[in-house]
Structure formats: C-alpha cells, structure tokens
Amino acid sequence: KANQSPLYMTQDRTEMSEDDDDQSPPSDLRSEPPCSSSSSAVDSTPNKSRNCISSSGTMTASQPFPDHVLENVLENVLQFLDSRCDRNSASLVCKSWWKVEALTRSEVFIGNCYALSPARLTQRFKRVRSLVLKGKPRFADFNLMPPDWGANFAPWVSTMAKAYPWLEKVDLKRMFVTDDDLALLAESFPGFKELILVCCEGFGTSGIALVANKCRKLKVLDLIESEVTDDEIDWISCFPEDVTSLESLAFDCVEAPINFKALEGLVGRSPFLRKLRLNRFVSLEELHRLLLGAPQLTCLGTGSFSHDNGAHQSEPEPDYAAAFRACKSVVCLSGFRELMPEYLPAIFPVCANLTSLNFSYANISPDMFKPIIHNCHKLQVFWVCILLDLCLHDSEGPVSELGLQAISEGCRNLESILYFCQRMTNAAVIAMSENCPELTVFRLCIMGRHRPDHVTGKPMDEGFGAIVKNCKKLTRLAVSGLLTDQAFRYMGEYGKLIRTLSVAFAGDSDMALRHVLEGCPRLQKLEIRDSPFGDVALRCGMHRYYNMRFVWMSACSLSKSCCKDVARAMQNLVVEVIGSDDDDDNRDYVETLYMYRSLDGPRKDAPKFVTIL
Amino acid sequence: MEGCPRNRETCPKLLDLIPQGRKWYHEEKKNSDQEKKLELRLGPPGVDEDDRSAMNTETRNNIKQQQNIKKESEDKSIFSLNGNHFSPSNKTTHVPHISHKRTAPGPVVGWPPVRSFRKNLASTSSSKLGNESSHGAQINKSGDGEKQVELKREGMFVKINMDSVPIGRKVDLSAYNSYEQLSFAVDNLFRGLLAAQRDTSGGEGEEKPIIGLLDGKGEFTLTYEDNEGDKMLVGDVPWQMFVSSVKRLRVIKSSEISSALRFGCSKQEKMRN
C-alpha cells in the first residue's frame, strides 16, 4: 500500500462498502454556538478571556484582543484537524472554538440532506471546499419508495454557487441531480476538482459532458451505480485536448457506448490517472490496449471482460495475463460485466496484491471464484452475487456455503463482504466469524426469504450470532434468512459497535427490535422491511432517535396513531409516512415509516404521497 | 432446489411447487405430481405431509390466511412448517409471525435487494449470450443449466394463482398468441373455482365470468412475475417479450394493486423507452 495515498484508500472504502468513514457522534450543526456558561473547563491559557460576548463575525479592533490572538492561533492549529469527530468535539469547547472551527472546516459531511437546510450550512461554514451529501434512504434503491420523493441537489448547488466559489469537491449519494444542476456546478466553481455521484439519477451524458469540458482542473469524475440517461453525446471527447489532471475516471454505470479512440487518447494524456472504471461497452481487446498504455493504474473496472462480437477471429489473441502482470499497482478490481469465464485466469497475476475485489456484476459461481480467492491473501473487501446456484438441486454438495467458507479461509484480512446467495448454513457463517476477525461490514443476503440453514433446518440465528460475537469490530450488518428473536438478542448483546443494520423478513415479535434499540448504543441507521415489529417496539427506541440518522420501517406492523405519538413527543424528529396517493387517510396502518432528526423542521418539498406527521 | 435437499427424508412435494426465483422450472419434471397436488389440495398446506401439529392449533382463519400468503409469493417459510425446525410444542412458529402482517396480500417488491440497475444489466448480458442459452434464461455455466433450458422448450407452463382461491393452476403459454386468449383461459380455469370459493364463504355461488383482467376495470387484474423477480401488470409489453420473461402469473383483486406495484411500473416505463 506504499504507493497509495490516504485519499485513494478512503475513496475505495466509500465506493466498496457504501458506508461512510464516520466514527463520530452526530454532527452538531446548530447555528447558535453553545452558551458560554456551559463552556467552562477546558482552559489551559490563563490569559484567555472568558468574555465570549466579544466574539463577533469580524475582527476589526485596532488593538488585538486576547480573543483575536487566540483565534488566530486556533485557526492555524485547527486547520490541520481533519477528522469530523474531532472537529465536532472541538466546536463544542466554547464559542470561540466554535467560531474558529467553523471558519477552518473545509470538508463538510451531511449524512441526510433533510437534516438541515442549505442556508444553515452556508451560514455556519464559510470556507467549504468539499461537500459530501447523502439523500434518499437505501431501500429506495429497491422500489420501496415512489420516484420523485425528493433529495434534490438543486437547492444545494444554487446556494453553494453563491457562497462557496472556491468549492472543489462534491460527493453525492442517492441524490436527484439534473443536467441543469451539473451545468450550474460547472459554471460556478472555477477550481472544481472532484465530482462523485453514487446511486444518483436525474441527469444524463449531456450534463457529464459539460463537467468534463468546463472543469479544467478536474481530477476525479466518478459515476458509480448511477442512472445516467444516454443523451447520445460523445462526452469522452469533451475533455480538454491538452494534458489533464485526471486521477480517477469511473463510468461503469453509464449505459451508453463510448468513443473508444477518444478514451484511449484521454488515458494517454492523463499521466496522473490511477483509477479507471470502464463500462460494459469496452471489450476485452480494448481493455488490453488501455492496460498497455496505463500500467500505473491502482484501481481498475474491467468493463465487459468479453470479446467484441465478431471482432476477434483474425488476429492472434492478445496476452491478457501479460497485460495484467504489467499492472503491478492494481489493488482494486471490479467490472466483469459480461464475464467470459475462460478469460478469468488472466487476472491471476494481480490477485496477490488485491485488497478489493468486486464480482457483484459478474455471473460467477463459487467454483469460479474459489481459485482466485485462494490467491488473494490481502483481500479486505469482497462483493459477489451468486444469482444461480445451479448445482444445488442436483448434487449432494452445497455450493454457496462452500464459497463463503473458501473466502473465510483464504482471506483472513477480510474487512467487508457483500454476499448474495440462495441458501446458507450456520456452520459456514460461524466459520467466517472465526476466520475473519477484522470484519467491519458483514452483509449476507440469502435470497430465499425466511430460509433456514439448509442442512440443519434451524434458523440462521447462531450464524449471525457468531458474527456479532466474534467480529468485534463490526459496524455494519445486513441479515437475512430465517431469523427468530434470538438472533436479535445476540445483536443487542454483542453488537456494541454496530452503526448500520438492515433487516428484512426477520424476527418473531416486538422483542427483537427492542433488543436492538436497547442494546446497540452506536446504532445510527436502521432499515427494516417486512418484519413483525409494531408500536411497542417503536416506542422502545424513543430515547435513541435523536442520536440516529434515520429509521426506516416498511411493511411492518406500525399504526399511524403511534407514529403520531412519536412525532408529537419528539419535536426535532421528522416523521414521514410514505404511501400512495389514493391511500385512505383514515387508515391507521403505516406502510412505510421514514423518520430522521432535523434542525430545520419538516421539508417543504414533500410530494403528495408523503405525509409528515 | 432449496428447502428440499435430497438427503432429507421428508421432502414435501408441495415445496417443489414454490418458484425459487428463476429456477422453479426445474420442477417441470414433476408435472403430473404437481397437478395432482394442486387438484387435491383443498385443505391447509402441508396437511398431507409429515406435518407439525402447529397447523392443528390454527383457526380456520389463520389457515386461510396462510393459504392466501402462500399463494401470494414464493419462499415464505410457512412452507418450512413441513421442515424439521419446528417442533409441535414450539409456540414461536412462523405462523404468528405472518399473522402480524396485514392480511391483504400484496406483491412483494424489491426482493432480493439488488438495485434494479444491476438486474437490468443481468438481463442484458444474458440476452447477449442468447445463442448459448435459451430465451430469457440466465447464463448457463455448467451442464446443469442446460437441463433447465431443455425443459423450458417443452411447452411454456407457468403456474397461476388467484386471490381467494386456494387451488393453483397451470397454463401453457405456448398455446396462446395474445393477451386476450390468455385472459380467456384464465377465466376458464378459475371461474368455477372462484364460485365454489364464494359459495363456501357464504357468497352467492353462481358462476360469474372473470373479465376485465387486463384493463384494470374488472374485479380482478392479471399480474405476473418476471425473470428478475419483479411484479408486473400483464399487458404492457409485446406478447412475445412477455412470454420470454414471465415466470408465474397471479390474478389479484384490482383493489389490492398496491402502490408498491406501481413503483415497479416506473421501471417498465424506463424499459419501454
């Protein structure tokens, strides 16, 4: 990892694990600094004036007050503070520290775009260069919410266009972004360097073309799992013709053919390019050419990983393995969109260095990835989706669980796994919990709902129980299969670091949710669907909801009256009940509950199908 | 198939009827058995099998409810009542679990939790390799897959269920050329059964034709589940496209078309464009 700067490492994590690096308590974005009377204590400077009234926005005094001297010093010191957690703590020391911290915070993270208004952001933080903003809750990805729910980028970009002309980076997740928004962005920020759009929608290749063309200092253009409409624009050709500053270009989600010649030219004149994620319209032969020209890559999305139709007969086959061998720096591999399995061995030369491997777009079975995994000793992140367990109805031997077993044995350093399969056993999950103590993210999706251990017939309680018990660093958990309240009892007892929990079709009673709400003090994001949790459980969490980013519960057993009670009791909580337009308003049943804390009250852009209680 | 490994002694055949996502065609070879099972099945599910007495303690309502939910969707573990992990005295069976849910059956959307974006890609890639596999089938990586493909070519039987009718049927889509013909066939299949059902629940019992399946105007609407697991309204796509992607059919009460199914339609619109 010596050739990796911290920037790249962080970005990899963000992409692969879909989780933020935030280890901090909730960001406190109150616009009023803490009252001076409560901010005594941390004072090591005897000369420091306790007169907080003197703190104002400007420093116009002819004589430098001790306050101002201190603030100058603080400013010089605090600008080195990077961690969000530390900054939040520093801002609570006293009004002076609050002010200076606000002046020196250059990167702002907003985990829920509706937790505050854009105006509040620009009022408090004056010198922001980088914004990370997240919108819709994750379950919106699975059609559990109507489109046009909200999370529009427009008000943010228009506010920031005026307030932050020196903005350099925008990182959005699950936001609705239009081409107009992108145009405004490209126009308003001359120093703009990084655009990252994860799971976003609402824009097309025309918006991207504008960014490519106008942001002359662009270093990062990452389009990840976003829906990009094909406006039939050759956006790759819109990059400036001279040498670029590009370090990362990801367009694997763009469902439109690209001009390969232009791409090759772009890669050729981008000497700083380290990350390249191609879409499925780039063939294996084209990938080969790119690799030969860019062996310095650290992160590669391989595109289709299959032949051009009909293009390959005449020439001898390129030596793909040699091309991969030449890429000595590759640590992160993804793509394989139309995987031709016979070419998979070409990646063997890079396996030993891989820290991240994403097969989730590949039609791949454990038999195919096992030999690869065997060589990936350094692997930290692994994503795979076994859509078809073709052998299972025929053979005695299991498939999915052996795959998991192989991973746990080959990749002892594994930190994050996303594993889709049809069936699983407790034994395999327990083995993983014992072999991979470094796990921070464990997401197992047994696609058959309520499916027990297919060997013993028992619920999957013990498997997930072992995970929360043995993986002491676990911060994110997604469960599936047949689960009783016992599984949740384990979570509440052992899952002390869990911040994100996804539950679907699980549990027997309110007690399950209660265990979690009462036992997991770090829980920030809770998403539940189709589970038998009701009002009693909801009320058990009232002491927690202000400390959480959001709670999602759909197709559970909640009543509107209970949700109203919660909304009434917690004034800073926005309680959204999401239904359909013609829902009977008198119906007490709540189809979907989405609630989150907010400093600025209920949003004004809620569509008709959202009722804010 | 999941839930029914060969090494188990009791392997309730009813479980074989449950479509497991894309794979339920495997059960074509048990066709006649299935037909028999369907014909005979008027009682609660699993009652002929090596069942647990958990079922015996249920009220008629609960049983009906289970039947409704059973028809509704695949993979509910209620079928696992026939499995080994429930003991007779075990009060925490999954039956109370399901009774916590609202009784009105609606389509289950968004499962598995794969972004529709990815699923579009999966279907694109499988169509690209269409030469090697049959229409709409997933990529066949092993010899086993070919078996699946062959079975599909022998008539296009898809299972069809109807709300409030405990008996499921099967239709051979290759026998029809249009949605109208299919709609007619559905009426033929279920008119009598529906009347019988209404008779027992105190209704009129006379046979009324089942109409308006395709336009939303009738009491019932025809829906289907495609090869990506999405619930769709029948009639939106060209007939051949429908036939190549349909995995099972379901006749639901028009009033029960939940908003969730509507959200799924936005994907349909996208695909059309």
Side-chain angles (χ1 to χ4, degrees), chain A residues 299-481:
Chain A
C299 175
L300 176 65
T302 60
S304 69
F305 217 79
S306 76
H307 281 316
D308 245 336
N309 279 334
H312 56 283
Q313 285 94 352
S314 46
E315 295 149 23
E317 192 141 85
D319 188 350
Y320 298 119
F324 275 96
R325 202 171 298 120
C327 295
K328 299 191 188 304
S329 310
V330 166
V331 293
C332 168
L333 208 52
S334 63
F336 309 102
R337 301 260 162 161
E338 283 154 14
L339 174 67
M340 281 187 173
E342 57 268 36
Y343 292 102
L344 202 50
I347 72 170
F348 276 136
V350 300
C351 284
N353 290 330
L354 282 185
T355 57
S356 167
L357 183 53
N358 181 352
F359 274 138
S360 64
Y361 284 100
N363 271 307
I364 195 169
S365 71
D367 285 337
M368 289 159 69
F369 68 67
K370 268 198 268 179
I372 294 181
I373 283 293
H374 189 65
N375 293 323
C376 297
H377 308 292
K378 293 189 186 167
L379 205 64
Q380 294 168 6
V381 177
F382 185 62
W383 281 20
V384 73
C385 181
I386 305 171
L387 279 177
L388 291 183
D389 267 325
L390 284 177
C391 307
L392 50 83
H393 68 286
D394 262 27
S395 69
E396 295 291 325
V399 179
S400 297
E401 61 266 27
L402 277 193
L404 195 69
Q405 184 91 25
I407 295 165
S408 74
E409 286 163 7
C411 310
R412 299 290 169 125
N413 295 321
L414 201 66
E415 297 176 10
S416 171
I417 182 166
L418 172 63
Y419 197 91
F420 278 75
C421 56
Q422 292 286 352
R423 56 186 210 174
M424 189 45 62
T425 62
N426 282 307
V429 178
I430 292 171
M432 173 152 274
S433 78
E434 290 165 355
N435 292 337
C436 303
E438 301 296 315
L439 275 178
T440 56
V441 175
F442 184 77
R443 297 163 66 189
L444 175 64
C445 180
I446 303 168
M447 290 191 274
R449 295 190 296 278
H450 307 300
R451 192 153 290 170
D453 179 323
H454 78 88
V455 168
T456 67
K458 292 202 163 82
M460 292 299 298
D461 297 342
E462 295 307 311
F464 285 102
I467 290 286
V468 289
K469 193 165 168 195
N470 298 334
C471 302
K472 306 210 190 314
K473 302 182 182 178
L474 198 74
T475 57
R476 180 169 180 181
L477 180 65
V479 300
S480 58

Side-chain angles (χ1 to χ4, degrees), chain B residues 4-213:
Chain B
C4 185
R6 290 291 182 271
N7 54 9
R8 278 225 218 150
E9 267 185 33
T10 45
C11 186
K13 295 192 186 63
L14 205 52
L15 280 176
D16 298 339
L17 300 175
I18 304 156
Q20 306 291 349
R22 297 162 187 76
K23 302 193 327 301
W24 72 274
Y25 277 119
H26 295 157
E27 300 318 309
E28 291 296 346
K29 49 184 174 256
K30 298 198 181 77
N31 217 353
S32 54
D33 283 346
Q34 287 172 338
E35 290 289 3
K36 281 204 196 110
K37 275 292 169 197
L38 288 169
E39 300 299 300
L40 296 173
R41 190 139 304 285
L42 284 174
V47 89
D48 290 343
E49 314 299 332
D50 182 6
D51 193 16
R52 302 298 175 227
S53 60
M55 289 306 298
N56 302 336
T57 62
E58 291 313 306
T59 63
R60 194 175 194 295
N61 280 344
N62 259 341
I63 291 168
K64 261 191 128 65
Q65 191 181 328
Q66 288 153 27
Q67 288 170 342
N68 286 341
I69 290 157
K70 177 171 102 90
K71 293 193 316 281
E72 163 197 356
S73 183
E74 58 288 346
D75 290 348
K76 299 274 193 215
S77 69
I78 185 163
F79 303 114
S80 305
L81 287 173
N82 299 322
N84 297 331
H85 60 277
F86 282 106
S87 62
S89 56
N90 186 359
K91 289 212 171 88
T92 58
T93 62
H94 253 57
V95 171
H97 158 67
I98 287 175
S99 67
H100 275 149
K101 292 169 176 283
R102 47 188 190 123
T103 52
V108 175
V109 177
W111 189 265
V114 180
R115 272 176 61 85
S116 55
F117 169 72
R118 283 179 198 256
K119 289 194 278 191
N120 284 338
L121 294 183
S123 63
T124 314
S125 56
S126 61
S127 62
K128 187 173 180 189
L129 296 173
N131 307 337
E132 292 152 32
S133 58
S134 90
H135 58 272
Q138 288 285 325
I139 311 264
N140 300 320
K141 296 184 293 291
S142 69
D144 294 330
E146 283 156 23
K147 209 188 296 182
Q148 169 190 6
V149 162
E150 274 162 21
L151 290 165
K152 270 178 95 168
R153 291 198 187 114
E154 298 163 359
M156 266 241 41
F157 282 97
V158 293
K159 189 176 173 186
I160 176 166
N161 290 91
M162 182 163 183
D163 277 2
S164 73
V165 176
I167 299 172
R169 306 301 305 272
K170 278 204 169 164
V171 287
D172 180 2
L173 288 180
S174 60
Y176 312 114
N177 288 320
S178 71
Y179 288 119
E180 285 66 36
Q181 290 179 4
L182 174 61
S183 177
F184 190 67
V186 171
D187 177 35
N188 279 344
L189 279 177
F190 282 108
R191 196 196 291 194
L193 293 172
L194 187 64
Q197 203 54 30
R198 288 180 163 170
D199 194 21
T200 44
S201 36
E204 288 180 347
E206 70 177 48
E207 289 196 4
K208 285 196 295 186
I210 301 169
I211 50 166
L213 284 169

Side-chain angles (χ1 to χ4, degrees), chain A residues 128-174:
Chain A
V128 172
R129 290 183 187 255
S130 158
L131 175 71
V132 179
L133 185 61
K134 299 192 180 184
K136 289 191 261 188
R138 197 175 70 95
F139 277 3
D141 289 352
F142 316 126
N143 283 348
L144 290 182
M145 196 159 79
D148 309 323
W149 172 82
N152 298 303
F153 183 50
W156 294 90
V157 66
S158 59
T159 306
M160 291 195 301
K162 300 181 202 111
Y164 302 142
W166 43 76
L167 191 69
E168 291 179 358
K169 172 178 168 182
V170 166
D171 180 339
L172 305 177
K173 188 163 186 178
R174 291 196 188 92

